[in-house]
Amino acid sequence: MTALAAGSVAMVMGLAACTSESADSVADPAPHQGHGSSSPAASQPLRTGERFVNLTMPESYTPSAPQGGTDDYRCLLIDPHVTKPMFLTGALFQPQNAKIVHHAVVQVVAPEAAARAHAKDAETQGPGWTCFGDTGLGRVAGTYASAWTPNGTESVLKQDVGFPVKPGSLIVVQAHYNLLATDGRTGETDRSSVRLRLTDGTAATKPLRTLPLQAPIELPCASGESGVLCDRAASVADVTKRFGDRVGGIAQQLLELCGNGKPVPGNTQRCDYPIQQPMTVYAALGHMHMLGRSIKVELNPGTAQAQTLLDVPTFDFDNQKTWPLPTPVDVKPGDTLRVTCTHDATLRKQLPALSKLPPRYVVWGDGSSDEMCTGFMITSAAA
């Protein structure tokens, strides 16, 4: 989920430690299908003070992938015409052409970055602009608000919380279009929409923010596989060629962030994040791609105070969603958050969307044939 992928490396709270665990075998639940069709999910009822605002992309977009790739990341700008402060309490992305929409991230662009967003939109032919890695508007220009993946639903927290939306704010939908379904051919169009759940809030409404916790991807080719891209350096060079230096450098940044800067190949990778500022965690979302098997986020692992904030033991790309915690959890300075992901290279031969692609040593990348490991924590500042 790339809107925060590159930027989150700079959001780290202090030093981190990362380890890799090699595994000869991985539990073998029935694999997901990699990418399926979806239909708009039913919304939860409006609560007191809430209202829906339906926004549609100004015009249709025809995705096209860079040479040698099948992925197109496009930032699409929508003006919600906000004239007074309010809070976003839910968002439901609704893909018009689910066959080619891999996932989407909804962000609120702060009014001070609105002119920059309009300029990027105007300087690029067609609606929006290409945005591998992140929106390109700067790290503090926007606030993550919602993510959609196939069969995703709207997540509404029961607490009096919401993402702040100031007058003059814009909405950016970073849509990841994947053309594996069309064998890389262009011609398919999309004009998706997003439904915002807004409220004026109360004096007690707590502003939300999103903390992404990421771990490296160092997944070697499966036993019996071979090819040019089974070499790690060649694979990193391929990611860089497809998505540019910013995305191509994330693999090394994560190694330095989470360990000693050297890759340790293995199915399972993790990263520890020491906490410096108090916060309250309300919900969590785990994101990987098609080779993902499981993802977990733990608080203070290995201690008497250990808690599991997110546990998806059988990851399904077609059924990713935000999980509200049964009770919000307070996190304090000195605590540690750990994200752990397990991937499985043998799924490549089992999934129709990947089975025709050459084997590769998988590192962090924006493409459907690349991988990610992100635990998104929905938080507020502690009272």
Side-chain angles (χ1 to χ4, degrees), residues 283-306:
L285 165 69
H287 178 66
M288 299 186 288
H289 287 176
M290 300 182 192
L291 301 181
R293 281 294 195 184
S294 64
I295 182 169
K296 179 183 288 189
V297 175
E298 301 166 276
L299 174 63
N300 296 323
T303 71
Q305 296 77 38

Side-chain angles (χ1 to χ4, degrees), residues 20-108:
S20 170
E21 303 168 6
S22 296
D24 294 328
S25 61
V26 180
D28 191 32
H32 53 75
Q33 295 304 305
H35 191 279
S37 61
S38 62
S39 57
S43 282
Q44 299 182 40
L46 287 169
R47 298 171 296 187
T48 302
E50 290 182 331
R51 56 196 177 276
F52 285 135
V53 174
N54 296 294
L55 304 172
T56 301
M57 290 162 42
E59 57 184 297
S60 295
Y61 175 63
T62 304
S64 61
Q67 185 177 4
T70 58
D71 301 278
D72 182 3
Y73 280 72
R74 195 75 172 182
C75 280
L76 301 157
L77 195 62
I78 307 175
D79 190 347
H81 302 288
V82 177
T83 58
K84 62 178 182 179
M86 57 186 65
F87 290 91
L88 179 69
T89 54
L92 181 61
F93 177 79
Q94 297 176 307
Q96 183 265 322
N97 189 344
K99 181 171 67 174
I100 59 173
V101 182
H102 181 280
H103 76 258
V105 175
V106 179
Q107 291 194 65
V108 179

Side-chain angles (χ1 to χ4, degrees), residues 17-351:
C18 173
T19 66
S20 170
E21 303 168 6
S22 296
D24 294 328
S25 61
V26 180
D28 191 32
H32 53 75
Q33 295 304 305
H35 191 279
S37 61
S38 62
S39 57
S43 282
Q44 299 182 40
L46 287 169
R47 298 171 296 187
T48 302
E50 290 182 331
R51 56 196 177 276
F52 285 135
V53 174
N54 296 294
L55 304 172
T56 301
M57 290 162 42
E59 57 184 297
S60 295
Y61 175 63
T62 304
S64 61
Q67 185 177 4
T70 58
D71 301 278
D72 182 3
Y73 280 72
R74 195 75 172 182
C75 280
L76 301 157
L77 195 62
I78 307 175
D79 190 347
H81 302 288
V82 177
T83 58
K84 62 178 182 179
M86 57 186 65
F87 290 91
L88 179 69
T89 54
L92 181 61
F93 177 79
Q94 297 176 307
Q96 183 265 322
N97 189 344
K99 181 171 67 174
I100 59 173
V101 182
H102 181 280
H103 76 258
V105 175
V106 179
Q107 291 194 65
V108 179
V109 177
E112 53 267 30
R116 201 181 323 156
H118 281 300
K120 288 190 72 68
D121 192 17
E123 70 188 17
T124 306
Q125 185 176 4
W129 61 92
T130 299
C131 52
F132 294 118
D134 60 19
T135 64
L137 298 176
R139 186 163 58 87
V140 296
T143 300
Y144 164 94
S146 177
W148 174 90
T149 54
N151 300 314
T153 59
E154 181 187 36
S155 178
V156 179
L157 299 176
K158 62 183 179 181
Q159 292 82 14
D160 186 7
V161 294
F163 293 96
V165 183
K166 300 177 182 178
S169 295
L170 301 173
I171 297 295
V172 164
V173 175
Q174 187 192 39
H176 174 187
Y177 294 103
N178 177 249
L179 302 183
L180 283 173
T182 65
D183 292 325
R185 295 188 302 272
T186 60
E188 294 277 350
T189 63
D190 176 64
R191 192 180 181 188
S192 294
S193 60
V194 61
R195 180 164 57 197
L196 306 181
R197 181 186 292 260
L198 297 170
T199 181
D200 294 339
T202 69
T205 303
K206 292 185 177 181
L208 289 176
R209 57 191 182 187
T210 301
L211 172 67
L213 307 174
Q214 299 173 331
I217 310 296
E218 296 292 336
L219 184 66
C221 286
S223 177
E225 290 185 331
S226 62
V228 174
L229 293 178
C230 287
D231 176 73
R232 183 184 186 277
S235 182
V236 172
D238 178 65
V239 170
T240 304
K241 178 181 178 181
R242 286 183 285 132
F243 303 114
D245 291 340
R246 179 185 298 178
V247 177
I250 293 177
Q252 185 60 36
Q253 291 176 40
L254 286 172
L255 291 179
E256 294 171 357
L257 168 71
C258 300
N260 61 6
K262 297 180 180 180
V264 181
N267 296 323
T268 299
Q269 306 282 340
R270 72 188 189 196
C271 195
D272 288 351
Y273 289 78
I275 302 301
Q276 294 183 350
Q277 297 181 347
M279 67 184 76
T280 300
V281 181
Y282 296 92
L285 165 69
H287 178 66
M288 299 186 288
H289 287 176
M290 300 182 192
L291 301 181
R293 281 294 195 184
S294 64
I295 182 169
K296 179 183 288 189
V297 175
E298 301 166 276
L299 174 63
N300 296 323
T303 71
Q305 296 77 38
Q307 289 181 263
T308 298
L309 305 185
L310 174 71
D311 187 11
V312 184
T314 305
F315 179 81
D316 183 352
F317 174 80
D318 291 327
N319 191 25
Q320 300 181 62
K321 58 183 177 180
T322 300
W323 296 90
L325 274 58
T327 303
V329 173
D330 290 326
V331 179
K332 62 184 184 300
D335 286 343
T336 296
L337 286 171
R338 173 182 293 172
V339 59
T340 303
C341 288
T342 295
H343 295 83
D344 183 359
T346 68
L347 287 175
R348 187 162 36 229
K349 291 184 177 180
Q350 302 177 47
L351 300 176

